Amino acid sequence: RWVRTDDGTTETDGESVSTLAAQAGRRALEDAGVAAKKLDAVITVSMTPEYVSPPLDFFVRRDLGIPEGSSFSLQSACTGIFRAVLLAEGLLSTGRATIVLIVAADAGSPYFVFDHNLPKDLRMSMALYGDGAGAMVLTADQGGLARIESPLSVSTATEQRPGILLSASEIGRASFRER
C-alpha cells in the first residue's frame, strides 16, 4: 500500500507484494483448515513481483513456514490466475499433488503517477491496478477438481502490439465443468 504525498514522494505502510501475498495465503489456509506443512505445491502469480530472484513463491513459502516442495512463480497480469489454476489442475489430476495453494498478488500503485490533472479515463484505468492479493486452496480429495474450460489466450494482435486478445462472446461461454 503506497501513498504518494503532495510533494511527489512515495511512502509505504510497510506492506509489499510478498507481505500481501503471505497474508492472503495465510487466510486461505485458515479458511480451508489446512496446515501449511500439508501443502504439496505453491503457485504464485504477480505482474509486479518485488524481485526477479528470488521469486515470489520463495517469500510466501518462507513467511508461511511451508516446507520444501514444488513451487512456481508465474509473472502474468489479468489471465495469470487462470494459468495458475490450469497448472494446479495438472498437478492434482496426475497425483503429483493433493493440496495446492495459489496466491495472486500485485502492487501497481508505485508504477503510476496519480495526478488530478490527468484525463479522467486515465485516472479511472489506474484504479484497476491497485495493490492487493487473493489466494485459494485447491484439493483433489472430493472427486476431482472442476475442470476449467477457458477461451482465454495470450497472443499478439500484431508484431508491434502484443496484448491479450479476448472475445466477449467467448468469455460469456467460458465455464467450469465437473469431470
Side-chain angles (χ1 to χ4, degrees):
R1 300 187 185 154
W2 299 77
V3 177
R4 189 171 304 276
T5 61
D6 290 336
D7 66 1
T9 60
T10 304
E11 300 173 356
T12 179
D13 63 4
E15 289 188 331
S16 62
V17 174
S18 62
T19 58
L20 290 170
Q23 289 171 4
R26 185 174 292 108
R27 288 184 190 136
L29 291 170
E30 289 170 2
D31 288 348
V34 173
K37 65 183 178 186
K38 297 287 188 185
L39 290 172
D40 298 309
V42 175
I43 303 169
T44 61
V45 181
S46 181
M47 70 174 185
T48 58
E50 291 165 78
Y51 304 100
V52 174
S53 183
L56 184 57
D57 63 270
F58 165 81
F59 294 104
V60 171
R61 289 181 93 68
R62 181 197 66 192
D63 294 351
L64 297 181
I66 299 169
E68 289 298 318
S70 296
S71 63
F72 308 89
S73 283
L74 306 176
Q75 187 167 352
S76 184
C78 303
T79 61
I81 197 69
F82 293 105
R83 292 182 174 115
V85 170
L86 290 169
L87 178 55
E89 178 186 31
L91 294 169
L92 294 166
S93 66
T94 60
R96 296 189 64 118
T98 57
I99 306 174
V100 178
L101 172 66
I102 297 176
V103 181
D106 278 302
S109 58
Y111 298 96
F112 295 99
V113 176
F114 294 96
D115 185 343
H116 294 290
N117 296 322
L118 291 172
K120 184 178 180 180
D121 60 337
L122 184 55
R123 288 192 319 254
M124 297 292 284
S125 67
M126 285 189 217
L128 298 173
Y129 301 101
D131 304 347
M136 65 180 90
V137 176
L138 301 178
T139 65
D141 65 353
Q142 306 220 346
L145 180 67
R147 181 155 191 232
I148 184 170
E149 291 184 8
S150 174
L152 301 177
S153 65
V154 176
S155 65
T156 55
T158 68
E159 289 182 17
Q160 293 81 27
R161 297 198 60 201
I164 301 170
L165 302 177
L166 303 174
S167 163
S169 62
E170 289 181 12
I171 292 172
R173 289 192 298 266
S175 65
F176 287 90
R177 285 191 314 150
E178 202 61 39
R179 287 187 201 186

